[in-house]
Amino acid sequence: MATLIQSYEQQYSVLTADITAKIGRLKVANEEDRDRLSREIQSNFDEANDLLEQLELEYRGSGAGSRVAAYRAELQRVKEEYRSVSSNTATYNIDPEEYDDWSGNDQRRKLLDNTERMERSGRNLTEGYRVVLETEQIGAAVLQDLHAQREGIQRSRGRLRETDATLNRSSRLAGSLAVRAMRDRLVLALVLLALGALLCTALYLYVT
């Protein structure tokens, strides 16, 4: 996701620099070249708008802070510059040699500004990519820890089932022992009663 955003931003920066350069050439171009450059600039504006729409969608999907508003403001400034050049017919009468003296510097300055913006964007994207990697590593560690905890819970559950089974067997054994003890007591009581009866009979016979 971050790589795609970076690609769109780089394409946008290159495209706006190209538009700025064409606007500069438009100031000294002849009628035929002006028509061609105007068509190309309009096409570039459409392409830039499409890039910004794609970039905005990518930002929404990533959840990161969006710089699309700043890019749109910059594009609007370039559009206003283009409209100003297009409507100012006197600009087309500039001497090419004179234009070379200041327009080239102006273009280089704008290209340098765009390059600086690209570098800042690249640094921001690099930092964002580093944060994403750190977040991914933390997420992997958390998932590994959760997996280990799940295995521990499953082992504990297995031991609880074994303990429950052992308790059930012990309960059944205790019940069986209790029944056997009661049976033994009953037999002992019967034996004692029988002995008592025999003793009484023997005493009776002895007395009589």
Side-chain angles (χ1 to χ4, degrees), residues 3-204:
T3 303
L4 190 56
I5 289 175
Q6 182 179 10
S7 176
Y8 284 148
E9 288 182 334
Q10 290 176 348
Q11 292 178 43
Y12 169 77
S13 297
V14 172
L15 189 57
T16 53
D18 185 41
I19 293 173
T20 302
K22 288 177 180 177
I23 291 174
R25 294 199 301 271
L26 187 63
K27 295 177 181 179
V28 294
N30 55 37
E31 187 67 28
E32 182 180 355
D33 289 339
R34 284 202 299 270
D35 292 339
R36 177 181 56 82
L37 287 171
S38 295
R39 289 193 298 270
E40 291 179 0
I41 291 172
Q42 291 291 342
S43 177
N44 291 150
F45 278 136
D46 293 338
E47 186 177 353
N49 285 325
D50 292 340
L51 275 174
L52 290 181
E53 290 179 0
Q54 292 294 328
L55 187 59
E56 187 171 13
L57 291 175
E58 293 299 328
Y59 269 121
R60 289 178 182 175
S62 65
S66 175
R67 291 187 289 271
V68 175
Y71 292 148
R72 290 192 185 281
E74 179 187 10
L75 186 62
Q76 183 62 32
R77 179 188 61 79
V78 177
K79 287 181 178 180
E80 291 175 357
E81 181 182 359
Y82 166 69
R83 284 195 291 267
S84 176
V85 171
S86 298
S87 60
N88 188 2
T89 57
T91 304
Y92 298 128
N93 297 324
I94 295 177
D95 184 6
E97 294 182 357
E98 179 183 358
Y99 173 75
D100 289 339
D101 292 336
W102 62 268
S103 180
N105 292 330
D106 186 59
Q107 290 183 36
R108 283 194 294 272
R109 180 181 59 79
K110 291 179 179 179
L111 288 173
L112 287 174
D113 291 342
N114 287 331
T115 301
E116 290 177 359
R117 283 194 293 271
M118 288 177 61
E119 291 177 352
R120 288 195 298 270
S121 298
R123 288 193 295 270
N124 292 334
L125 289 171
T126 300
E127 180 65 19
Y129 185 65
R130 183 185 62 80
V131 172
V132 170
L133 289 179
E134 291 179 355
T135 304
E136 184 179 358
Q137 292 174 356
I138 293 172
V142 171
L143 288 176
Q144 186 176 3
D145 185 53
L146 290 174
H147 181 69
Q149 291 181 8
R150 179 183 177 184
E151 290 181 348
I153 291 173
Q154 289 177 345
R155 287 195 296 270
S156 299
R157 186 178 298 173
R159 286 194 294 269
L160 285 174
R161 285 196 293 265
E162 292 176 358
T163 302
D164 186 59
T166 301
L167 289 175
N168 289 334
R169 289 195 297 272
S170 298
S171 178
R172 289 194 297 270
L173 180 60
S176 177
L177 291 175
V179 171
R180 184 178 299 175
M182 291 179 62
R183 187 174 60 229
D184 292 342
R185 289 177 183 176
L186 180 60
V187 171
L188 181 60
L190 291 175
V191 170
L192 290 176
L193 287 174
L195 289 175
L198 290 173
L199 182 59
C200 291
T201 302
L203 289 176
Y204 177 76

